Amino acid sequence: MGKELLYGALLHLFMVPAVLAQTGSLDGSVEDGRTGEALPGVNIYLPELERGGVTDPDGAFSLENIPYGIYQIRISFIGYRTLEEQVTVQSPESSVRFELSEDLIGMDELIVTGQGSGVSRYRLSTNVTSISAKQMNRLPMVQLDQILQANITNSQVRMTSGQPGTASLIRGRGVVSALASTTPVVYVDGVRVDNTTAFSLYESTGGAESSALADIPIENIERIEVVSGGAATTQFGSDAANGVIQIFTRQGVEGASRLSWESSVGAKTATKDFLRYDETGDILFSPGLVHEHRLSASGGSEAFNYSFSGSMSEDDGVMANNDQVRHSLRAAFGARLNDLVRYNGSFGFISSEFARDWNANFSGSAFDIESGSFGDPESWDEQEYQNMEEYINGYVDLTDISEEVKRFQTSQRLDFDIRENLTARAVVGLDMRNSGQYLYETNAYLIAYGFVPDGTTDQGRLSESTRNYLGMTLETGARHEAEIGNFSFVTNAGAQLFRDDERQLYVNATEVPDGSLLLSSGNSTARNFRRTLVNYGAYLLENVGYRDRLFLEFGARADQNSAFGEEVDTQIYPKVGMVYNLSSEPFFQDRIPSSLISTLRLRANLGWAGNFPTPFSNQVLASIGTFRERMAVEFGTAGDVNLRPERTRTVEVGGDLSFVEDRINLELTWYKSVTEDALFNAPFAPSTGLGSAIQNLGTIENRGLELAGRFNVYRSREAVVDLRASVNTLHNEVVDNGQSAPFAVGGFRFLGSWIDEGYPVGYFRGNRPIFNEDGTVDEIIQNDNLGDPLPDLFGNLGVSADYRNFSLTVTADYQLGAQGINMDEVFRFLSGVQDGRVPEEAIDELGPDFNSFAGVWVEDADFLKVRLINLNYTLPERFHRGLVRSITIGASALNPFNFASSDFDPEVTGAGIARNQGGVGVGGFAQSTLSPSRQFTGRVRIQF
């Protein structure tokens, strides 16, 4: 008996570890709680085991070798509320199924911009706009600025021309600088990329400036984060007063390889809404064909994943010499190198070639019909019309302006899981953008336009302008999370260096014989431009939470920059913010049901960001030229050893409210930003002989109220209808000009954009005529304030609706309170084709003096534009079998409707938006510019 007891005890001791060592798999699926649609890429995590994974394209996941037991599982996905539940593993194969609810206000979303690494939105004291892949999938294949235009609630994105490759004017929270562009800094996968809207030695084609933003590839984008400025951009220091756009590309998901093919084809027609004469459209415009084809693939395992996309597109344009061909590739790879290190790399390449016509303030523009250069088209008889049509199309067909862009981007990142709650990262990346602009004016062109007489030979002109840009980014950072009692801590620290190198060359050859494309065949002159900028800084950010209800943010960045003067110390940009999630308090929940108010969140912050000076402006430079065929030296840049960056201080106070079961969601923010040490390119006294120089002189103030709302009108298993709208107010003023005399930043001598104390940046200054009742001139008010190109009110509108397999998206935007200059009407006046706004009696009295009559051509520039109507339909599964997972067909209309108070297109008033590379441009001058065209396309997307 004793032996039996002994053997039994020994057997029990051996069996216990065997039982305890039993493991199984946890298999499951994740679906959209409303539609039942499988969700790929969802994060699955078991905190007790520090184990996790992601769902495959079918929404399935499998976690192997899980010891038997009960665990807390956390399921999170962008655009959905995080779900935490208990799961039990008690057999070799345990199965679970989860449904996620849409996070309509995005409080659980992880935000990177301004934080260094992902932090839940509900902990942030600043407002960050996030655009998900799901939102972008509802849109047709468009370029980056059009995606931003449809989704950013508190910024304006305006197309400055309908010609290919031209710049977009992006403006959020006013104009914080009288020197620097309003375009935000752009990052792709953590790498700073070129966002220049024009380069110094570009071939002037009448203000149709090229944009580096237009050729940022949109393939494989996972999400976009946009911050308008203020405390949220402190992390980016001397480069972020205009805000930050962060683009994150897809890294692939675990599971079998998936393939997607998408193709679209359609027609493009000119927008004729703002033409004075029907004859202009009849002569110049004809419909064009547009088509694009895209192939993408993704897949992988926990050890390795990949994502790839390539596209080809062609656009015939709506007029001669406005075609474009574009090819792009983007790929991303991720690999688990070991338990400590994970690698993620992305690569992007784009090639774009396009042709362009003369634009705006150029005497060779085809739009000279609008400016009255050929008389009054409405008075032409049939023969005159035919003659003018043949004449105009003759030289338009001979116009040869082309540009090509080659761009390569890469980001290489290592993520380190040092220990629980402590991670680190290292990022290195490059952005290489090479662009070349070519202009060829043959003898035939010069003769056709009348520049030279018939029979002229060897008088052609050939010019080439090239820009080679190389940007490098190095960044390292670490993140630590901790919980102590009721307190939680998220700490981010890091350092960053970026370096920009530019090389530009402009060569012009005259007396070039027809048929030659060699600059050496004529008399050549050349100019070059070189610029290098280096910025390096370090930051520390802390986010402290108390009981997940009250949060305090604080931090700072220290910066040095090669554009600072020698006597300028390291610049410090601090921030502080607070968030109170009032609806998380027990007393609030006890008194107000969540079905009435589910979220009430208050926030406030204060922070500084900067704009560094134009490189080399801090140095004393000479200008080398020639005089009587010998070298001559004169004053160049005056230099300033104390030249500092502009510092923009922003205070924000706001709140987020969601009620009626999240059916109504509101975001309200009041802000005030003050730019001190504002950089003015102000003139010296004439007696110095120094001309003008960049100096820290002024103070600029912007303030406004931002209100954005999303309203769920209807929601059921089969259908959902959402409306969204935003209203933004803006007050902009130069409150101190630092005793600088008023100076122009754009426009013309008789009517320009000016900087002066007490007025908005770029206000219109010119002579205002006062007429008597009999039409004679009573008074001419000299150098009066004639208007403001910045709106008092702007925003956007949108509708998204789903019914079964249909989805509809409509977007629009508007502005009120801005003014613009009808420059075409000015030139019609000079050509004797008048519209009566200047009385005949005044002309008889003063003659055709457009300087005296400047104010009559200022018009209100209010508008409402419907940007997109898009309808998609996903075919039921019975229509496809086998390898095909889904088929979606769609149709869209871009820019279908325009409503405006002005006779000109109030959007495309940015011709010549900046006098200098990277300079400020507020637009407001409407002259002979092609409006964004209407485009009607159909497409099909097949997923395998």
Side-chain angles (χ1 to χ4, degrees), residues 65-85:
N65 300 318
I66 305 296
Y68 284 1
I70 299 175
Y71 303 97
Q72 193 78 8
I73 189 170
R74 182 184 304 149
I75 304 165
S76 60
F77 189 48
I78 293 175
Y80 291 83
R81 290 187 179 274
T82 299
L83 179 66
E84 292 193 11
E85 289 189 3

Side-chain angles (χ1 to χ4, degrees), residues 605-749:
N605 63 73
L606 171 67
W608 280 258
N611 269 323
F612 52 75
T614 303
F616 301 126
S617 297
N618 57 324
Q619 299 179 6
V620 179
L621 300 176
S623 178
I624 309 297
T626 59
F627 179 72
R628 293 186 176 179
E629 299 182 354
R630 301 188 66 179
M631 184 179 72
V633 180
E634 59 183 356
F635 285 122
T637 302
D640 185 354
V641 295
N642 294 306
L643 193 63
R644 304 177 299 282
E646 299 176 312
R647 294 176 60 87
T648 300
R649 179 185 73 248
T650 302
V651 58
E652 296 180 20
V653 178
D656 306 292
L657 177 64
S658 176
F659 51 97
V660 192
E661 297 180 340
D662 284 352
R663 289 182 178 271
I664 300 177
N665 304 283
L666 300 175
E667 296 177 353
L668 178 65
T669 303
W670 174 87
Y671 72 90
K672 180 179 179 180
S673 66
V674 178
T675 301
E676 298 172 327
D677 291 331
L679 294 163
F680 288 177
N681 191 17
F684 286 98
S687 58
T688 65
L690 293 175
S692 61
I694 295 175
Q695 306 167 65
N696 295 103
L697 294 176
T699 303
I700 300 172
E701 179 182 299
N702 291 273
R703 66 178 184 271
L705 192 67
E706 301 169 342
L707 175 62
R710 179 175 176 178
F711 311 95
N712 178 225
V713 178
Y714 180 80
R715 182 170 296 269
S716 70
R717 184 80 176 181
E718 289 189 334
V720 60
V721 179
D722 287 331
L723 304 179
R724 62 176 176 83
S726 69
V727 179
N728 304 273
T729 67
L730 172 63
H731 176 80
N732 172 270
E733 183 182 348
V734 178
V735 296
D736 185 359
N737 66 356
Q739 298 182 343
S740 168
F743 59 95
V745 292
F748 302 87
R749 289 182 180 273

Side-chain angles (χ1 to χ4, degrees), residues 3 75 108 172 285 336 377 455 486 582-583 750 809 874 934:
K3 290 182 178 180
I75 304 165
D108 288 330
F285 299 143
R336 171 63 67 178
N486 293 324
L582 182 60
S583 55
F750 81 101
T809 302
T874 301
R934 293 190 169 102

Side-chain angles (χ1 to χ4, degrees), residues 251-264:
Q251 300 298 316
V253 297
E254 295 180 26
S257 297
R258 298 294 183 181
L259 191 67
S260 175
W261 174 74
E262 186 172 356
S263 183
S264 69

Side-chain angles (χ1 to χ4, degrees), residues 447-504:
I447 292 170
Y449 196 79
F451 285 137
V452 296
D454 289 341
T456 300
T457 60
D458 299 341
Q459 288 297 316
R461 176 187 168 218
L462 180 64
S463 67
E464 180 176 334
S465 181
T466 60
R467 175 177 182 260
N468 297 319
Y469 168 90
L470 174 62
M472 179 180 68
T473 301
L474 298 173
E475 184 175 354
T476 183
R479 170 193 172 101
H480 182 261
E481 298 182 49
E483 292 189 8
I484 303 175
N486 293 324
F487 292 90
S488 61
F489 302 86
V490 179
T491 306
N492 280 287
Q496 181 197 57
L497 178 145
F498 67 80
R499 176 189 173 103
D500 296 343
D501 284 290
E502 280 190 67
R503 302 293 184 266
Q504 299 180 25

Side-chain angles (χ1 to χ4, degrees), residues 370-390:
E370 285 290 291
S371 62
S373 296
F374 307 107
D376 184 357
E378 293 176 346
S379 66
W380 295 344
D381 59 28
E382 184 176 349
Q383 185 60 50
E384 286 177 311
Y385 175 85
Q386 292 178 356
N387 292 340
M388 294 308 304
E389 182 180 30
E390 181 180 354

